[in-house]
């Protein structure tokens, strides 16, 4: 098998393709011949050496990646309900950037028949993140007004769809004009293009009383204003910090990181109470220790997909060998939907 290994954090040249022995299934494991691998912004942060759970759970060297689609190659003795050749998708805490993957049975799901490998590979991580943020943390009510930052991206696009599924009014924010159509197609009621419109003046015009829920993975660039634009009893869900990171070059600037860290707002419990606002945060890596919630969320999302209530993100595919270009493109901030690596066997 081949896998992509990062021996030391750094730029794109750290993504090294290596040959390794094929995995052998443990009793409860499923070995998958990987056809496609979902790329997440967290993989870039792992490559840069700034992803806390990469250090916590694995350390370096590390093979990044959280999700694959492919066919079952072999199963362990305790797995009796999946035949070799079955089309599946799977989630994994790291190790997905590989042509074969061993995962526990509980993290493997049958592929809905209509789904292609590339669409399936990019579905799990972003939809689970959006599902957890909205339904496990923010608990939207029909009629709520939701603001989604980076709404044309992987997680952002899913938040738009799930917000509409919950009966909410959804305003998406994007950083470039070519993304506006993508967000409208996903069902958003309004889109703010912050490259041409004043973000917060437009946001105030669209929701004069503030937003019930704001979902923010920008970090320092917008967090303070996101908090200010909550309605009473509003919730700010924080789930990333990408505005601290470079859009080209692939290596974070240490001084800028330190300054942005200092500039990131700290929310006062007194202010939260007086103003009736909540700030929530989470990291999906920890969900792998809560198998029941993970399975519940993914099954619900797959059901919505089969019922036609949810669509998979638009996908841009790259060959396995072009992983560096895929990271470069994702970090540029110009992509929409999901980026996926494809494997040939
Ligand atoms: N907490 C969790 O468990 C969890 C799980 C998954 C993802 N995440 C986070 O969610 C965010 C989105 O992840 P994704 O994989 O779906 O990526 P993505 O949204 O497809 O791509 C990143 C988007 O962020 C925006 N952006 C703003 N500043 C940027 C910068 N300096 N560098 C690059 N992009 C920048 C760009 O959109 P606009 O310019 O249009 O805003 C860009 O298209 C990331 O911050 C990621 O770390 C968190």
């Amino acid at each position: 098998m081949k896998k992509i290994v990062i021996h030391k954090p750094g730029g794109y040249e750290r993504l090294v393709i290596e040959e390794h022995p094929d995995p052998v299934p443990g009793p409860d494991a499923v070995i998958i011949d990987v056809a496609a691998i979902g790329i997440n912004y967290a993989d870039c942060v792992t490559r840069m050496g700034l992803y806390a759970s990469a250090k916590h759970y694995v350390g370096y060297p590390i093979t990044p990646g959280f999700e694959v689609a492919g066919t079952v190659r072999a199963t362990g003795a305790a797995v009796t309900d999946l035949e070799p050749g079955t089309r599946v998708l799977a989630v994994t805490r790291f190790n997905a950037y590989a042509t074969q993957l061993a995962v526990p049975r509980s993290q493997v799901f049958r592929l809905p028949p209509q789904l292609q490998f590339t669409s399936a590979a990019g579905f799990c991580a972003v939809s689970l993140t959006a599902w957890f943020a909205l339904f496990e943390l923010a608990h939207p009510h029909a009629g709520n007004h939701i603001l989604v930052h980076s709404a044309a991206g992987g997680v952002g696009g899913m938040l738009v769809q799930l917000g509409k599924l919950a009966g909410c009014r959804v305003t998406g924010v994007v950083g470039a004009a070519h993304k506006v159509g993508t967000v409208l197609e996903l069902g958003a009621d309004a889109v703010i293009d912050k490259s041409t419109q004043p973000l917060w003046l437009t946001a105030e015009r669209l929701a004069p009383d503030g937003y019930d829920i704001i979902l923010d993975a920008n970090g320092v660039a917008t967090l303070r204003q996101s908090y200010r634009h909550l309605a009473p009893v509003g919730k700010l869900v924080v789930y990333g910090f990408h505005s601290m990171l470079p859009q080209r070059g692939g290596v974070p600037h240490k001084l800028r990181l330190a300054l942005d860290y200092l500039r990131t707002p700290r929310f006062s419990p007194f202010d939260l109470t007086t103003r009736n606002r909540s700030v929530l945060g989470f990291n999906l890596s920890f969900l792998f220790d809560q198998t029941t919630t993970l399975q519940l969320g993914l099954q619900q999302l797959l059901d919505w997909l089969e019922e036609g209530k949810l669509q998979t993100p638009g996908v841009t595919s790259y060959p396995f060998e072009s992983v560096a270009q895929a990271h470069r493109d994702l970090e540029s901030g110009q992509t929409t939907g999901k980026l996926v690596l494809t494997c040939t066997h």
Side-chain angles (χ1 to χ4, degrees):
M1 65 173 279
K2 284 184 195 155
K3 61 180 178 176
I4 294 163
V5 184
I6 302 165
H7 286 270
K8 264 175 64 181
Y12 309 112
E13 75 289 353
R14 300 286 191 204
L15 297 158
V16 179
I17 299 178
E18 296 179 353
E19 300 260 351
H20 283 258
D22 290 355
V24 180
D28 181 43
V30 178
I31 308 282
I32 299 170
D33 268 331
V34 175
I37 302 156
I39 299 179
N40 290 282
Y41 194 77
D43 307 340
C44 304
V45 186
T46 298
R47 196 204 68 240
M48 293 177 200
L50 298 171
Y51 197 57
S53 44
K55 295 181 202 165
H56 178 76
Y57 290 107
V58 186
Y60 292 78
I62 188 169
T63 292
F66 298 105
E67 53 186 345
V68 301
T71 47
V72 173
R73 178 187 181 90
T75 55
V79 180
T80 53
D81 60 342
L82 278 180
E83 296 294 313
T86 309
R87 284 158 41 92
V88 292
L89 50 79
V91 288
T92 171
R93 187 158 57 195
F94 303 105
N95 290 322
Y97 282 26
T99 56
Q100 284 182 39
L101 179 70
V103 262
R105 170 67 187 92
S106 60
Q107 292 167 213
V108 181
F109 298 79
R110 283 174 192 276
L111 208 62
Q114 78 272 24
L115 220 56
Q116 293 182 344
F117 287 133
T118 44
S119 308
F123 178 70
C124 292
V126 291
S127 61
L128 258 181
T129 304
W131 174 83
F132 194 85
L134 266 188
F135 296 113
E136 293 289 292
L137 295 184
H139 299 290
H141 297 288
N144 278 174
H145 200 157
I146 299 184
L147 185 82
V148 179
H149 288 286
S150 304
V155 180
M158 273 295 162
L159 284 167
V160 171
Q161 289 196 65
L162 293 182
K164 290 310 296 175
L165 209 56
C168 300
R169 178 172 163 72
V170 178
T171 294
V173 181
V174 295
H178 70 272
K179 300 180 178 182
V180 172
T182 305
V183 183
L184 289 173
E185 273 165 30
L186 291 171
D189 299 280
V191 185
I192 305 172
D193 172 10
K194 63 182 180 184
S195 71
T196 57
Q197 293 172 287
L199 167 54
W200 294 110
L201 279 177
T202 317
E204 281 162 22
R205 188 172 49 73
L206 291 167
D209 298 326
Y211 291 85
D212 301 295
I213 299 169
I214 299 185
L215 300 125
D216 192 333
N218 284 322
V220 62
T222 51
L223 266 188
R224 196 178 302 278
Q225 289 292 350
S226 289
Y227 180 71
R228 281 197 187 136
H229 286 80
L230 289 174
V233 207
K235 294 165 187 168
L236 168 61
V237 183
V238 182
Y239 65 101
F241 302 92
H242 49 229
S243 69
M244 293 169 90
L245 299 172
Q247 290 193 297
R248 68 169 75 122
V251 183
H253 190 288
K254 284 194 180 132
L255 181 62
R256 188 180 149 203
L257 268 185
L259 287 174
D260 280 349
Y261 176 80
L262 293 174
R263 288 170 49 225
T264 300
R266 273 67 174 162
F267 299 102
S268 151
F270 302 111
D271 198 61
L272 295 175
T273 314
T274 315
R275 291 180 195 265
N276 247 320
R277 293 172 184 175
S278 303
V279 180
L280 303 148
F282 73 104
N283 182 332
L284 211 64
S285 306
F286 295 95
L287 206 58
F288 284 93
D289 297 326
Q290 297 177 16
T291 323
T292 314
T293 312
L294 187 136
Q295 285 187 321
L296 187 90
L298 255 184
Q299 201 50 62
Q300 171 68 86
L301 290 157
L302 288 168
D303 288 348
W304 280 332
L305 202 61
E306 289 218 58
E307 291 162 20
K309 293 179 175 167
L310 204 60
Q311 50 175 293
T312 51
V315 163
T316 308
S317 298
Y318 297 76
F320 191 73
E321 293 71 22
S322 302
V323 60
Q325 188 58 44
H327 273 217
R328 206 175 270 120
D329 290 350
L330 185 57
E331 286 164 40
S332 75
Q334 296 304 308
T335 60
T336 58
K338 279 293 295 190
L339 278 52
V340 161
L341 294 178
T342 53
C343 306
T344 42
H345 289 275

